[in-house]
Amino acid sequence: MLRIVFIGTAELAVASLQALHRHPGFEIPLVVTQPDRPQGRKLQLKPTPVKAAALEAQLTVFQPEKIRTEDSLRTIRDARPDLLVVAAYGQILPKALLDLPRWGCLNVHTSLLPKYRGAAPIQWSMLNGDAQTGVTIMQMDPGLDTGPILTQQATPIADTDDAISLHNRLAQIGSELLIQTIPAWVAGELRPQVQTEAGTCYARKIEKQDGLLDWRLPAKSLWNRVRGLVPWPGAFCLRSDRTDAPPQTLKIWEAVPESAVHSGVGGEVVQVSSSGIVVRCGEGALRLLALQRDGGKRLPCREFLAGHPIQVGERWTIPTS
């Protein structure tokens, strides 16, 4: 029986934890996750998705504020792990922890390394319009997603995908690939491949301002932003239909690009109907299908226009930086 300490936080990691727990050859003496954090308007403490899944499976949970302390190392050492598995944890592990188990530490990373090292590989693969992405199981070292690669599996990014559907698919792929990789790794059947620097890029953490649409960009780029940034921060634009009032923030939930040439400049509304609001871009146009005002509800275009008229010829704000 292989003793595995699982270290993870986000929803992405839950499928891997559950797959390990179901496997008859693995035992999970400890699950390490981030502390409960206040969320929502009432700032009530909420457990991480990994904690919720671990408690449901009746596993022991450890929630250190910092994993780099001697107390954290002692607690994990006392669990006598043969292997550490990390997925979407949110802290960098110290070398002393990586060197603790006999079989080291494996990480489930949702990109085809060395591309998209870092915090937000799923979102950046969509923002950049990539045709495919995937999952890498790697042997961790003290760097940021720089360790040797054990296994990889690719998946196409379809036009029907958004960040949520891609996240869910990669979580499942990662859990299945992990279960295939661990026995082969322990049996000595895998030869770690050192990552090359060719093709390396960093997927930095997404910020709220990344959702602001710049109408000077091609319609396809803005479409990738709409579908790549759900559910947070979401794509949004600034509607400025009056010179004597501040711009209104409109969150764009659904949109499709159009290649047809519309006269006008970027940010100009060129068509308004129940089938969509068409806004001119730097190249082509974007048809907005579902919108939401600040403080309002997400609405399909037909319902949105019934309460919030928009006129052809409006020019919406273009970011200044």
Side-chain angles (χ1 to χ4, degrees):
M1 185 74 70
L2 193 71
R3 292 174 63 85
I4 300 174
V5 167
F6 185 84
I7 304 175
T9 298
E11 183 68 36
L12 181 74
V14 170
S16 290
L17 173 60
Q18 292 172 335
L20 291 172
H21 181 58
R22 289 192 299 265
H23 196 286
F26 303 152
E27 178 185 358
I28 304 177
L30 186 68
V31 174
V32 183
T33 189
Q34 299 266 27
D36 297 357
R37 304 294 187 193
Q39 295 187 25
R41 292 184 178 180
K42 296 184 179 180
L43 296 179
Q44 294 180 328
L45 287 179
K46 184 176 181 180
T48 70
V50 163
K51 178 182 179 179
L55 293 179
E56 184 177 355
Q58 299 182 325
L59 298 172
T60 302
V61 175
F62 175 49
Q63 295 179 272
E65 190 68 39
K66 295 183 178 179
I67 201 169
R68 304 180 69 86
T69 66
E70 184 57 38
D71 285 345
S72 297
L73 183 60
R74 184 183 306 111
T75 300
I76 296 172
R77 184 190 298 116
D78 289 346
R80 297 181 292 109
D82 299 310
L83 175 71
L84 301 181
V85 170
V86 180
Y89 176 55
Q91 294 186 35
I92 296 178
L93 274 58
K95 187 174 188 300
L97 185 55
L98 300 178
D99 293 342
L100 179 63
R102 176 184 179 187
W103 300 107
C105 183
L106 303 187
N107 177 245
V108 183
H109 186 77
T110 50
S111 80
L112 298 175
L113 291 172
K115 193 172 187 179
Y116 298 130
R117 295 171 178 168
I122 296 175
Q123 291 90 336
W124 285 108
S125 67
M126 298 203 72
L127 292 178
N128 291 332
D130 291 357
Q132 70 169 9
T133 185
V135 175
T136 300
I137 308 297
M138 57 172 252
Q139 185 182 12
M140 292 186 70
D141 65 13
L144 181 61
D145 301 325
T146 55
I149 294 169
L150 298 186
T151 54
Q152 290 185 318
Q153 184 172 330
T155 184
I157 300 176
D159 287 351
T160 53
D161 274 323
D162 61 19
I164 296 174
S165 65
L166 188 58
H167 167 284
N168 294 343
R169 187 161 74 252
L170 290 173
Q172 186 61 35
I173 290 172
S175 69
E176 295 170 358
L177 187 61
L178 180 66
I179 296 302
Q180 297 168 18
T181 302
I182 291 175
W185 169 240
V186 172
E189 298 170 359
L190 297 177
R191 180 173 296 179
Q193 301 295 315
V194 175
Q195 291 190 42
T196 65
E197 290 305 308
T200 298
C201 63
Y202 178 67
R204 66 166 174 81
K205 184 178 180 180
I206 294 294
E207 301 176 353
K208 183 175 181 179
Q209 199 64 15
D210 290 320
L212 180 58
L213 298 181
D214 185 341
W215 299 109
R216 293 168 295 190
L217 296 175
K220 189 170 183 179
S221 295
L222 300 183
W223 171 60
N224 287 336
R225 197 159 292 263
V226 170
R227 64 197 189 111
L229 293 179
V230 293
W232 190 91
F236 63 94
C237 64
L238 302 176
R239 180 196 177 201
S240 50
D241 60 329
R242 291 170 50 191
T243 58
D244 60 342
Q248 304 168 9
T249 300
L250 297 181
K251 191 169 185 177
I252 312 302
W253 284 99
E254 293 181 46
V256 291
E258 294 191 348
S259 58
V261 176
H262 294 274
S263 60
V265 297
E268 182 177 355
V269 178
V270 295
Q271 187 181 114
V272 177
S273 71
S274 60
S275 62
I277 301 163
V278 180
V279 184
R280 182 79 165 91
C281 305
E283 179 181 314
L286 196 67
R287 182 177 293 273
L288 313 183
L289 304 177
L291 306 89
Q292 179 180 349
R293 291 183 67 187
D294 270 346
K297 296 180 180 180
R298 172 179 174 172
L299 297 171
C301 185
R302 180 192 299 272
E303 295 181 26
F304 183 88
L305 290 172
H308 312 289
I310 289 176
Q311 305 299 321
V312 171
E314 288 184 18
R315 291 190 178 182
W316 293 358
T317 302
I318 290 176
T320 57
S321 60

